[in-house]
Coordinates of all heavy atoms in Angstrom, one line a residue:
D1 N -13.7 10.2 13.6 CA -14.7 9.8 14.6 C -15.8 8.9 13.9 O -16.6 8.3 14.6 CB -15.4 11.0 15.2 CG -14.4 11.9 16.0 OD1 -13.5 11.2 16.5 OD2 -14.6 13.1 16.2
S2 N -15.9 8.9 12.6 CA -16.9 8.1 11.9 C -16.5 6.6 11.9 O -15.3 6.3 11.9 CB -17.1 8.6 10.5 OG -15.9 8.5 9.8
Q3 N -17.5 5.8 11.9 CA -17.3 4.3 11.8 C -17.5 3.8 10.4 O -18.7 3.9 9.9 CB -18.2 3.6 12.8 CG -18.0 4.0 14.3 CD -16.6 3.6 14.8 OE1 -16.0 2.6 14.3 NE2 -16.0 4.4 15.7
T4 N -16.6 3.3 9.8 CA -16.7 2.9 8.4 C -17.3 1.5 8.3 O -17.9 1.2 7.3 CB -15.4 2.9 7.6 OG1 -14.5 2.0 8.3 CG2 -14.8 4.3 7.7
G5 N -17.1 0.7 9.3 CA -17.7 -0.6 9.3 C -16.9 -1.6 8.5 O -17.4 -2.7 8.3
S6 N -15.8 -1.3 8.0 CA -15.0 -2.2 7.3 C -13.5 -2.0 7.6 O -13.1 -0.9 8.1 CB -15.2 -2.0 5.8 OG -14.8 -0.7 5.4
N7 N -12.8 -3.0 7.4 CA -11.3 -3.0 7.7 C -10.6 -2.8 6.4 O -10.6 -3.7 5.5 CB -10.9 -4.3 8.3 CG -9.5 -4.3 8.8 OD1 -8.9 -3.2 8.9 ND2 -8.9 -5.4 9.0
P8 N -9.9 -1.6 6.2 CA -9.2 -1.4 4.9 C -8.1 -2.4 4.7 O -7.5 -3.0 5.6 CB -8.6 0.0 5.1 CG -9.4 0.6 6.2 CD -9.8 -0.5 7.1
S9 N -7.8 -2.7 3.5 CA -6.7 -3.6 3.1 C -5.4 -3.1 3.6 O -5.2 -1.9 3.8 CB -6.7 -3.9 1.6 OG -5.6 -4.7 1.3
S10 N -4.4 -4.0 3.7 CA -3.1 -3.6 4.1 C -2.3 -3.0 3.0 O -1.2 -2.6 3.2 CB -2.4 -4.8 4.7 OG -2.2 -5.8 3.7
L11 N -2.8 -3.0 1.7 CA -2.0 -2.5 0.6 C -2.5 -1.1 0.3 O -3.7 -0.9 0.1 CB -2.2 -3.4 -0.6 CG -1.4 -2.9 -1.8 CD1 0.1 -3.0 -1.6 CD2 -1.7 -3.8 -3.0
L12 N -1.6 -0.1 0.3 CA -2.0 1.3 0.0 C -0.9 1.9 -0.8 O 0.2 1.8 -0.5 CB -2.1 2.0 1.4 CG -2.3 3.5 1.2 CD1 -3.6 3.8 0.5 CD2 -2.2 4.2 2.6
Y13 N -1.4 2.5 -2.0 CA -0.4 3.3 -2.8 C -1.2 4.4 -3.5 O -2.4 4.3 -3.6 CB 0.3 2.4 -3.8 CG -0.5 1.8 -4.9 CD1 -0.6 2.5 -6.1 CD2 -1.2 0.6 -4.7 CE1 -1.4 1.9 -7.1 CE2 -1.9 0.0 -5.7 CZ -2.0 0.7 -6.9 OH -2.8 0.2 -7.9
F14 N -0.5 5.4 -3.9 CA -1.1 6.5 -4.6 C -1.1 6.3 -6.1 O 0.0 6.0 -6.6 CB -0.4 7.8 -4.2 CG -0.6 8.2 -2.8 CD1 0.5 8.0 -1.9 CD2 -1.7 8.8 -2.3 CE1 0.4 8.3 -0.6 CE2 -1.8 9.1 -1.0 CZ -0.8 8.9 -0.1
E15 N -2.3 6.4 -6.7 CA -2.3 6.3 -8.2 C -2.2 7.6 -8.8 O -2.6 8.7 -8.3 CB -3.7 5.7 -8.6 CG -3.8 4.2 -8.1 CD -5.1 3.6 -8.6 OE1 -6.0 4.4 -8.9 OE2 -5.2 2.4 -8.7
H16 N -1.6 7.6 -10.0 CA -1.4 8.9 -10.8 C -1.9 8.5 -12.2 O -1.4 7.5 -12.8 CB 0.0 9.4 -10.8 CG 0.1 10.8 -11.3 ND1 0.0 11.1 -12.6 CD2 0.2 12.0 -10.6 CE1 0.2 12.4 -12.8 NE2 0.3 12.9 -11.6
P17 N -2.7 9.2 -12.9 CA -3.3 8.8 -14.2 C -2.2 8.9 -15.3 O -2.5 8.3 -16.3 CB -4.4 9.9 -14.4 CG -4.0 11.1 -13.6 CD -3.3 10.5 -12.4
E18 N -1.1 9.5 -15.1 CA -0.1 9.7 -16.1 C 1.1 8.9 -15.9 O 1.9 8.7 -16.8 CB 0.2 11.1 -16.4 CG -1.0 12.0 -16.7 CD -0.7 13.4 -16.9 OE1 0.5 13.8 -16.6 OE2 -1.5 14.2 -17.2
K19 N 1.4 8.5 -14.7 CA 2.7 7.9 -14.4 C 2.5 6.4 -13.9 O 1.5 6.1 -13.4 CB 3.5 8.6 -13.3 CG 3.8 10.0 -13.7 CD 4.6 10.7 -12.7 CE 5.1 12.1 -13.1 NZ 5.8 12.8 -12.1
E20 N 3.5 5.6 -14.1 CA 3.5 4.2 -13.7 C 3.9 4.2 -12.2 O 4.7 4.9 -11.8 CB 4.5 3.4 -14.5 CG 4.1 3.4 -16.0 CD 5.1 2.6 -16.8 OE1 6.1 2.2 -16.2 OE2 4.8 2.3 -18.0
V21 N 3.3 3.2 -11.5 CA 3.6 3.0 -10.1 C 4.7 1.9 -10.1 O 4.5 0.8 -10.5 CB 2.4 2.6 -9.3 CG1 2.8 2.3 -7.9 CG2 1.3 3.7 -9.4
Q22 N 5.8 2.3 -9.5 CA 6.9 1.3 -9.5 C 7.2 0.8 -8.0 O 7.7 -0.3 -7.9 CB 8.2 2.0 -10.0 CG 8.1 2.4 -11.4 CD 9.4 2.9 -11.9 OE1 10.4 3.0 -11.2 NE2 9.4 3.4 -13.2
N23 N 6.9 1.6 -7.1 CA 7.2 1.2 -5.7 C 6.0 1.4 -4.7 O 6.0 2.3 -3.9 CB 8.4 2.0 -5.2 CG 9.7 1.6 -5.9 OD1 10.0 0.5 -5.9 ND2 10.3 2.6 -6.5
P24 N 4.9 0.6 -4.9 CA 3.9 0.7 -3.9 C 4.4 0.2 -2.6 O 5.3 -0.6 -2.5 CB 2.8 -0.2 -4.4 CG 3.5 -1.2 -5.3 CD 4.6 -0.4 -5.9
T25 N 3.8 0.7 -1.5 CA 4.3 0.3 -0.1 C 3.3 -0.5 0.6 O 2.1 -0.2 0.6 CB 4.6 1.6 0.7 OG1 5.6 2.4 -0.1 CG2 5.2 1.3 2.0
I26 N 3.8 -1.6 1.2 CA 2.9 -2.4 2.0 C 2.8 -1.8 3.4 O 3.8 -1.7 4.1 CB 3.5 -3.9 2.1 CG1 3.5 -4.5 0.7 CG2 2.6 -4.7 3.0 CD1 2.2 -4.8 0.1
I27 N 1.6 -1.5 3.8 CA 1.4 -0.9 5.2 C 0.5 -1.8 5.9 O -0.7 -2.0 5.5 CB 0.8 0.5 5.1 CG1 1.7 1.4 4.3 CG2 0.6 1.1 6.5 CD1 1.2 2.8 4.1
T28 N 0.9 -2.4 7.0 CA 0.1 -3.4 7.7 C -0.9 -2.8 8.6 O -0.7 -1.7 9.1 CB 1.1 -4.3 8.5 OG1 1.8 -3.5 9.4 CG2 2.1 -5.1 7.6
T29 N -2.0 -3.5 8.8 CA -3.1 -3.1 9.7 C -2.7 -3.5 11.1 O -1.8 -4.3 11.3 CB -4.4 -3.8 9.3 OG1 -4.2 -5.2 9.4 CG2 -4.8 -3.4 7.9
P30 N -3.4 -2.9 12.1 CA -3.1 -3.3 13.5 C -3.1 -4.8 13.8 O -2.5 -5.3 14.7 CB -4.1 -2.5 14.3 CG -4.5 -1.3 13.4 CD -4.4 -1.9 12.0
S31 N -4.0 -5.5 13.1 CA -4.1 -7.0 13.3 C -2.8 -7.7 12.9 O -2.7 -8.9 13.3 CB -5.3 -7.5 12.6 OG -5.1 -7.3 11.2
D32 N -2.0 -7.1 12.2 CA -0.7 -7.8 11.7 C 0.3 -7.8 12.8 O 1.4 -8.5 12.6 CB -0.2 -7.1 10.5 CG -1.1 -7.3 9.3 OD1 -1.9 -8.3 9.3 OD2 -1.1 -6.5 8.4
E33 N 0.2 -7.1 13.9 CA 1.1 -7.1 15.0 C 2.5 -6.9 14.7 O 3.4 -7.8 14.6 CB 0.9 -8.5 15.7 CG -0.5 -8.7 16.3 CD -0.6 -10.1 17.0 OE1 0.4 -10.8 17.0 OE2 -1.7 -10.4 17.5
Y34 N 2.8 -5.6 14.3 CA 4.2 -5.2 14.1 C 4.9 -5.9 13.0 O 6.1 -6.1 13.1 CB 5.0 -5.3 15.4 CG 4.3 -4.8 16.6 CD1 3.7 -5.5 17.6 CD2 4.3 -3.4 16.8 CE1 3.1 -5.0 18.7 CE2 3.7 -2.8 17.9 CZ 3.1 -3.6 18.8 OH 2.5 -3.1 19.9
D35 N 4.2 -6.2 11.9 CA 4.9 -6.8 10.8 C 5.8 -5.7 10.1 O 5.4 -4.5 10.2 CB 3.9 -7.3 9.7 CG 3.2 -8.5 10.3 OD1 3.9 -9.3 10.9 OD2 2.0 -8.6 10.0
D36 N 6.9 -6.1 9.5 CA 7.7 -5.1 8.9 C 7.1 -4.6 7.6 O 6.3 -5.2 7.0 CB 9.1 -5.8 8.5 CG 9.8 -6.2 9.8 OD1 9.6 -5.5 10.8 OD2 10.6 -7.1 9.7
V37 N 7.6 -3.4 7.2 CA 7.1 -2.8 6.0 C 8.2 -3.0 4.9 O 9.3 -2.7 5.2 CB 6.9 -1.2 6.2 CG1 6.4 -0.6 4.9 CG2 5.8 -1.1 7.3
E38 N 7.7 -3.4 3.7 CA 8.7 -3.7 2.7 C 8.2 -3.2 1.3 O 7.0 -3.2 1.1 CB 8.8 -5.2 2.6 CG 9.8 -5.7 1.5 CD 10.0 -7.2 1.5 OE1 9.5 -7.8 2.5 OE2 10.5 -7.7 0.6
D39 N 9.1 -2.7 0.5 CA 8.8 -2.2 -0.8 C 8.8 -3.3 -1.8 O 9.8 -4.1 -1.8 CB 9.7 -1.1 -1.2 CG 9.5 0.2 -0.4 OD1 8.4 0.3 0.2 OD2 10.4 1.0 -0.4
I40 N 7.8 -3.4 -2.6 CA 7.8 -4.5 -3.7 C 7.6 -3.8 -5.0 O 6.7 -3.0 -5.2 CB 6.6 -5.4 -3.4 CG1 6.8 -6.1 -2.0 CG2 6.5 -6.5 -4.5 CD1 5.7 -7.1 -1.7
E41 N 8.5 -4.2 -5.9 CA 8.5 -3.6 -7.3 C 7.5 -4.3 -8.2 O 7.4 -5.5 -8.2 CB 9.9 -3.6 -7.9 CG 10.9 -2.8 -7.1 CD 12.2 -2.8 -7.8 OE1 12.3 -3.5 -8.8 OE2 13.2 -2.2 -7.3
L42 N 6.7 -3.5 -8.9 CA 5.8 -4.0 -9.9 C 6.5 -3.9 -11.3 O 7.6 -3.2 -11.4 CB 4.5 -3.1 -10.0 CG 3.6 -3.2 -8.7 CD1 2.5 -2.2 -8.9 CD2 3.1 -4.6 -8.5
E43 N 6.0 -4.6 -12.3 CA 6.5 -4.5 -13.6 C 6.4 -3.1 -14.1 O 5.3 -2.4 -14.0 CB 5.8 -5.5 -14.5 CG 6.0 -6.9 -14.1 CD 5.2 -7.9 -15.0 OE1 4.6 -7.4 -16.0 OE2 5.3 -9.1 -14.8
E44 N 7.4 -2.5 -14.7 CA 7.4 -1.1 -15.2 C 6.4 -0.9 -16.3 O 5.9 0.2 -16.5 CB 8.8 -0.7 -15.6 CG 9.8 -0.7 -14.5 CD 11.2 -0.2 -14.9 OE1 11.3 0.1 -16.1 OE2 12.1 -0.2 -14.1
S45 N 6.1 -2.0 -17.0 CA 5.3 -1.8 -18.2 C 3.8 -1.8 -17.8 O 2.9 -1.6 -18.6 CB 5.5 -3.0 -19.2 OG 5.2 -4.2 -18.5

């Protein structure tokens, strides 16, 4: 119910202090109008 006053970015992933992130997920905002969701691999290092 609260109004944040900002529009979060379309990129969302969970960070872990000990593990590398290999598959962050692109999640589009409502303004993207039904864009597909795709997994993009980062460099493992």
Side-chain angles (χ1 to χ4, degrees):
D1 296 333
S2 64
Q3 299 295 330
T4 60
S6 62
N7 184 21
S9 173
S10 63
L11 181 64
L12 172 64
Y13 67 94
F14 295 103
E15 293 186 336
H16 195 283
E18 299 177 358
K19 295 184 180 180
E20 297 179 354
V21 177
Q22 298 182 2
N23 292 304
T25 303
I26 299 294
I27 302 180
T28 58
T29 60
S31 61
D32 293 336
E33 297 180 358
Y34 308 104
D35 292 322
D36 293 333
V37 178
E38 183 177 345
D39 291 340
I40 299 181
E41 295 184 358
L42 295 176
E43 296 179 3
E44 295 184 0
S45 60

